[in-house]
Amino acid sequence: LKHSDFKTPDGVFVHGFLTLNGEKMSKSRGTFILAKTYLDNLDPEYLRYYFATKLGPGVDDVDLNLEDFKQRVNSDLVGKFINIGSRSARFINKDFNNTLASELHNPGLIKEFIKTASNIKVLYEARDFNKAMREIMLLADKANQYVDKMQPWVLSKVNPKDEVIQQICTTSLNLFRILAIMLTPVTPKLAYNIAAFFNDDAYTWDSIDKNLMGRNINQFTPLLERIEDKSIEKLIKSQK
């Protein structure tokens, strides 16, 4: 490139060896998984997220520990992130004719998430993907804590049509949307499906500060399922 008068790369972005359960990949020892074998058994969004939690700007080895992989995906993507959407959408779907409130219950929390987005962007650009994922999951924890504190399920027992419930869930779903945009570089298919749930445009980083209010959303359907032991066992058997 240099002697052809083309611009040389600013950097070569690589990682070290990929190991499986702490061992070098070897077909004879059963520690080797083809990409197609994985795709035949599990959603690629799981693996994209897991690798993102492992990758940094250095040239480090990456270990695919299948038990850790299962626990991390189930805890973070399903238990924390997807949980925000599912627990809030059910009230909007059931009691408010699929319509978000025209006001937010906690606009300050929305602004806090949007402000943090600039830090997440810096981490992405520095290829500190593992730090970016940690920051995003801390925000997911904060969103779940907000819902836990507001307890819309308790308010619903008194008056399921209480507009405060609608405002709380609208706030929570906007937090969910912001997190989905933050995760778009890592889980693009998931982000696309979340945008469709909101009847939203395809996500870009610039759309992160747009609040969704007073619009219809679709019925919430399971966006990701938990990884079961049988799926891991099937993956291992398929490689032999």
Side-chain angles (χ1 to χ4, degrees):
L1 290 174
K2 182 178 180 181
H3 291 288
S4 300
D5 293 325
F6 285 101
K7 183 183 181 299
T8 55
D10 295 321
V12 180
F13 310 130
V14 298
H15 58 74
F17 289 104
L18 175 62
T19 56
L20 180 65
N21 291 330
E23 298 183 43
K24 289 183 178 179
M25 286 205 179
S26 167
K27 207 164 188 179
S28 61
R29 289 184 295 177
T31 56
F32 187 88
I33 298 177
L34 290 170
K36 187 178 185 306
T37 304
Y38 176 90
L39 288 173
D40 287 341
N41 291 279
L42 289 166
D43 194 317
E45 301 288 270
Y46 298 145
L47 192 61
R48 290 174 65 97
Y49 175 75
Y50 185 71
F51 281 163
T53 67
K54 297 275 188 174
L55 290 171
V59 185
D60 301 312
D61 291 348
V62 180
D63 182 45
L64 174 56
N65 181 293
L66 293 175
E67 179 62 26
D68 181 52
F69 165 67
K70 181 191 74 174
Q71 296 293 344
R72 182 73 64 93
V73 168
N74 289 347
S75 173
D76 289 1
L77 279 186
V78 181
K80 293 182 181 181
F81 174 54
I82 297 298
N83 188 49
I84 301 165
S86 62
R87 69 195 309 208
S88 301
R90 68 188 183 94
F91 292 102
I92 300 295
N93 291 150
K94 181 170 67 77
D95 299 319
F96 297 99
N97 197 30
N98 302 322
T99 305
L100 298 176
S102 57
E103 294 182 26
L104 296 170
H105 176 263
N106 192 335
L109 187 57
I110 299 286
K111 290 178 181 178
E112 182 183 334
F113 272 50
I114 292 172
K115 184 177 179 181
T116 306
S118 59
N119 298 331
I120 304 294
K121 184 177 181 181
V122 169
L123 291 172
Y124 271 127
E125 290 174 343
R127 297 176 299 285
D128 261 337
F129 304 115
N130 53 359
K131 290 183 180 179
M133 296 307 101
R134 284 201 299 271
E135 292 297 319
I136 291 170
M137 287 305 142
L138 285 174
L139 291 175
D141 284 334
K142 189 168 289 189
N144 278 302
Q145 289 162 8
Y146 165 72
V147 180
D148 289 340
K149 182 180 179 181
M150 294 301 102
Q151 296 184 316
W153 52 90
V154 174
L155 297 173
S156 182
K157 290 178 181 178
V158 179
N159 179 11
K161 301 294 185 179
D162 188 342
E163 65 178 12
V164 173
I165 299 172
Q166 188 183 21
Q167 292 169 2
I168 290 168
C169 293
T170 297
T171 299
S172 175
L173 286 172
N174 271 276
L175 297 175
F176 178 58
R177 176 184 178 276
I178 292 169
L179 293 172
I181 295 172
M182 291 179 177
L183 283 168
T184 299
V186 175
T187 55
K189 178 184 172 185
L190 179 59
Y192 176 86
N193 290 336
I194 291 171
F197 158 69
F198 281 117
N199 290 314
D200 213 356
D201 297 327
Y203 289 146
T204 66
W205 205 265
D206 292 336
S207 63
I208 209 163
D209 58 356
K210 180 179 78 172
N211 294 327
L212 301 185
M213 293 180 287
R215 72 156 61 185
N216 285 344
I217 60 174
N218 293 307
Q219 285 289 322
F220 191 88
T221 56
L223 294 163
L224 280 180
E225 296 181 354
R226 293 174 61 85
I227 299 176
E228 303 293 342
D229 287 335
K230 62 183 180 182
S231 298
I232 299 294
E233 291 167 3
K234 188 177 178 182
L235 176 65
I236 295 171
K237 288 179 182 178
S238 297
Q239 73 187 353
K240 294 180 179 179

